[in-house]
Amino acid sequence: MHPTDAARSDEAQFDYVIVGAGSAGCVLADRLSADGTNSVLVLEFGGSDRSVFIQMPSALAIPMNTKKYNWHYESEPEPHLGGRRLHTPRGKGLGGSSSINGLVYIRGNPLDFERWQDEGARGWSYASVLPYFKRAERRAEGGNEYRGDDGPLDTTYGPLTNPLYQTWIDAAEQAGYPVTGDVNGAQQEGFGRMDMTVRDGARCSAAKAYLRPAMKRSKVTVLTHALATRIVIEGGVAVGVEYERGGTLHRVRANREVILSGGPINSPQLLKLSGIGPAAELKAHGIAVVSDRPGVGANLQDHLEFYFQMACTQPVSLYPAMNLLAKGMIGARWLLRRDGLGATNHFESCGFIRSRAGIRYPNIQYHFFPLAVSYDGNSMAKEHGFQAHVGPMRSKSRGSVTLRSADPHDKPVIRFNYMSHPDDWTEMRSCVRLTREIFAQAPFAPFRGRELAPGADVVSDEDIDAFIAAKVESAYHPSCSCKMGARDDPFAVVDPELRVIGVERLRVVDSSVMPSVTTGNLNAPTIMIGEKGADHILDRPLLPPSNAPYFVAPDWETSQR
């Protein structure tokens, strides 16, 4: 028995204890407390999300690079990327990563969820998850058989006022790709508008959509600056959580369940600190083994991307908006009116394509951006420009999250093993060549200057590989490190009801439970996991499955487009 495991009469008690106020944790706080019968405690290590830089969509690079709002994780040196350590931002504070992300709302491809079902996530097919996407969403343009119109999470399109957004779509169409009316509807494949999580010109994080309404209820308690250090397990049953706050160790009891929503880095770390994980790793750190689960922290996946940048020959890009005076004017307008350039994330058009014939559904994603700049804003071209963020969606590389020590204050060891599979290099080369082809189309002729990156001389496989190794960045979609699967799968961590295999009354509900990463950004599917997870936890009948059809290119076996 752990020295603090003896039950104490002064212990606070709640029906549910949720670790992490991120995208899924916020959903759970709301849904589990909605009928007023359950008491819920949310433990969050970060603080408040009440910052103008979080709320203003175009300021997204600021919270992402602020230690107050970001755990500031880094990968270990990546052997296939010249030993570079890649930035791995994770949200810290109410809303978690939904308070620091790029506000992009992409659900994934329907066939992602068919794949989940094949990988052992029974009951997570597209027909099963679509109703939960709809339940979460309040779409500005209204609902239909794919989209929700009365959920807590607001989604909207950007105004497309900059001519370059439509030029991107027109050029792709001229290159032979389809145009789709809704990448989150029946047809993801193709080019079109990109949804963002914005309400009335401000960020609609999971905290705003779900947690703030829940916090008005008497039975919901949210503790910020609380670091969960260990799940308290008695006789194979999770009964509470130990956490540190204000320099003091506390313990809280969960009368029904403990739910981990710390995300793909923190959830596996806390499981391991609590004795749930690969036995050899736990023993090496002096941690008593409660449940030997080799899959905890394994199967780590992510998306990589690079910025294909072009100079712009007309003064239509966002370049003039980047000086201090212009930023001040944009900020002032946004503060007064919640509109203008401050009210968009500037990812207003996008694309999803297949890199070659024989791939059934899109494996490359594009975000178009009317400026030549790095995502974190640290490096910018000194001229008008535009760019496409582009990268493969289903890398075959797999990484891990392992303990650095048994000390919960130590950051875990994050190894993505990016680009460790040869197919990843083939796909990245396709990204360069197919993007170059789109930018070469006639609609870009009035705007097209020289190629800033990779550069027109980067043509051979060897040159492209060198560019990728030096310049590719994470798209910030870590996932799959506590994968969901069948209970007899030795590498599954949770079953299809998100219960941790081998320990009672303990679940993981966040992007770590994905069996494989989805085609696109992860905020929307993570919120969906929270929505469906809530029904599993409450043992409610699941929403009836949808019979809405979805698009698969009829000639995918023989044609790339």
Side-chain angles (χ1 to χ4, degrees), residues 22-67:
S23 297
C26 289
V27 176
L28 294 174
D30 182 26
R31 297 303 190 191
L32 298 183
S33 66
D35 68 1
T37 60
N38 296 316
S39 58
V40 175
L41 172 67
V42 182
L43 299 172
E44 169 55 47
F45 181 56
S48 171
D49 60 337
R50 293 198 188 281
S51 157
V52 68
F53 297 120
I54 286 176
Q55 303 308 324
M56 180 175 164
S58 70
L60 59 92
I62 296 172
M64 184 177 284
N65 290 281
T66 305
K67 286 206 166 160

Side-chain angles (χ1 to χ4, degrees), residues 238-258:
V239 297
V241 176
E242 245 176 36
Y243 66 95
E244 203 177 84
R245 192 168 189 247
T248 307
L249 198 62
H250 304 265
R251 203 170 84 161
V252 61
R253 262 190 117 68
N255 294 326
R256 294 194 175 202
E257 293 193 21
V258 173

Side-chain angles (χ1 to χ4, degrees), residues 162-165 307-322 346 368-374 380-389 439 444 447-453:
N162 190 301
L164 292 169
Y165 292 121
Y307 312 133
F308 198 117
Q309 299 179 325
M310 302 290 296
C312 188
T313 57
Q314 291 194 42
V316 294
S317 80
L318 293 176
Y319 182 65
M322 291 297 106
H346 304 292
F368 180 80
F369 197 65
L371 179 71
V373 65
S374 63
M380 184 175 72
K382 301 292 187 276
E383 60 190 301
H384 280 280
F386 48 86
Q387 68 190 30
H389 300 201
F439 281 139
F444 271 113
F447 308 106
R448 185 173 51 239
R450 70 194 190 289
E451 186 178 307
L452 302 174

